[in-house]
Amino acid sequence: MHDVEGSAELKFNNRDPVYLQVVRHFKEEIATGRLEKGQVIPSRREIAGKLRINPNTAQKAYKEMEEQGLIVTEGNSPSRITTDEQVLSLIRSELITDAVDAFVQSIAKIQVPVDELLAIVKSKVETSYTQAKEGQA
C-alpha cells in the first residue's frame, strides 16, 4: 500500500490552518485505503520535510490526530494508523458529510428542485467513476 510520500499530493489553501489540512489529508488517505489500519506513518520530522511544513505544525497535526484517535503512538515506537474500526468508519462518514454540507450550502441559493439536483449529481458521479476506472486501466 502507499505511504504518505506515494499518496496524492497535498496542496495547502490559505483559508484553513495548515495542521488541520494535514489532518484532513490523512483522513482522506485512510478513507480511500491508501493508508491501511495499523500502517506505520512517517515521523513528525519526516512528514514536515516531505510536506515542506514547520516541524511544530507537523507536531500539532499529529497531536490532533492522536486526540481524534486516528493514529496511535506507543512509547518510542513509530506512530501507526488506528485499528479501531469505529474510528475508521467515522472518518469516511465525516468526509462525506463535510462534502455534502459544502455542496448543499453552495447550491442552496439557486433553489434547484431536489429531483433535478439528484439526477445531475448521479450523472456527474457516474461519469467521474467511469473516468477513474478508465484512468486505472
Side-chain angles (χ1 to χ4, degrees), residues 8 15-16 27 33 38 45 52 54 56 82 84 86 92 100 112 119-120:
R15 296 182 312 273
D16 305 312
K27 287 180 178 181
R45 185 169 292 141
R52 296 187 185 121
N54 185 302
N56 292 332
T82 186
D84 184 328
Q86 186 175 1
R92 185 173 183 275
V100 169
V112 179
I120 294 167

Side-chain angles (χ1 to χ4, degrees), residues 6 14 25-27 43 45 68-69 90 98-99 101 112 114 116:
N14 293 326
H25 176 71
F26 271 85
K27 287 180 178 181
S43 71
R45 185 169 292 141
Q68 291 184 25
L90 285 174
D98 288 351
D101 287 348
V112 179
V114 174
E116 180 184 349

Side-chain angles (χ1 to χ4, degrees), residues 79-110:
S79 297
R80 297 179 173 275
I81 302 299
T82 186
T83 57
D84 184 328
E85 293 294 338
Q86 186 175 1
V87 171
L88 294 169
S89 67
L90 285 174
I91 293 169
R92 185 173 183 275
S93 295
E94 176 190 328
L95 291 174
I96 293 168
T97 300
D98 288 351
V100 169
D101 287 348
F103 171 73
V104 168
Q105 189 174 29
S106 69
I107 201 79
K109 296 173 188 161
I110 303 173

Side-chain angles (χ1 to χ4, degrees), residues 36-75:
E36 297 177 331
K37 63 183 176 181
Q39 182 176 343
V40 172
I41 59 174
S43 71
R44 288 143 177 83
R45 185 169 292 141
E46 289 172 322
I47 204 71
K50 288 176 184 174
L51 298 178
R52 296 187 185 121
I53 60 174
N54 185 302
N56 292 332
T57 302
Q59 173 61 31
K60 192 169 184 178
Y62 274 51
K63 183 176 186 296
E64 179 68 23
M65 290 190 290
E66 286 172 346
E67 289 174 0
Q68 291 184 25
L70 302 177
I71 64 172
V72 178
T73 308
E74 297 173 358

